[in-house]
């Protein structure tokens, strides 16, 4: 069973030229270069998503802390 799949993409000529130069400079096939670029893109998106989740969790934790602090103040008053 093949572990690789083929795909076709349409990109701007300027980007294609940059890809060809990078592949040549790095002594890497264009398909390998594209694979590495996709991996980096997915990693970045995952990290951005996780960061946004942590920010949201921090906001929720702060709201909960504020709520419990207010409740404690009421009890102690």
């Amino acid at each position: 069973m093949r572990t690789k799949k083929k795909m076709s993409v349409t990109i701007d000529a300027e980007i294609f030229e940059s890809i060809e130069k990078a592949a040549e400079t790095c002594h890497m096939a264009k398909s390998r270069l594209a694979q590495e670029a996709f991996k980096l893109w997915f990693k970045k998106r995952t990290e951005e998503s996780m960061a946004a989740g942590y920010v949201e969790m921090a906001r929720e934790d702060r709201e909960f802390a504020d709520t419990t602090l207010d409740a404690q103040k009421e009890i102690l008053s």
Side-chain angles (χ1 to χ4, degrees):
M1 175 182 262
R2 293 177 67 180
T3 59
K4 303 270 184 183
K5 300 283 185 174
K6 286 188 177 189
M7 69 180 261
S8 176
V9 296
T10 303
I11 57 175
D12 293 333
E14 183 179 302
I15 294 172
F16 182 80
E17 290 172 15
S18 296
I19 291 168
E20 287 207 312
K21 287 178 186 176
E24 185 178 323
T25 301
C26 297
H27 306 288
M28 184 182 296
K30 289 187 287 290
S31 59
R32 179 70 181 159
L33 184 63
Q35 187 170 321
E36 292 296 320
F38 282 124
K39 284 181 182 179
L40 288 173
W41 184 83
F42 285 122
K43 181 181 178 190
K44 180 181 176 191
R45 292 291 299 231
T46 300
E47 289 171 352
E48 289 172 351
S49 179
M50 290 177 68
Y54 288 132
V55 168
E56 177 61 22
M57 286 173 43
R59 185 192 62 75
E60 290 173 1
D61 288 348
R62 178 59 188 232
E63 288 176 2
F64 180 73
D66 289 345
T67 300
T68 57
L69 180 60
D70 291 343
Q72 289 174 354
K73 286 179 182 176
E74 286 182 25
I75 291 170
L76 296 174
S77 297

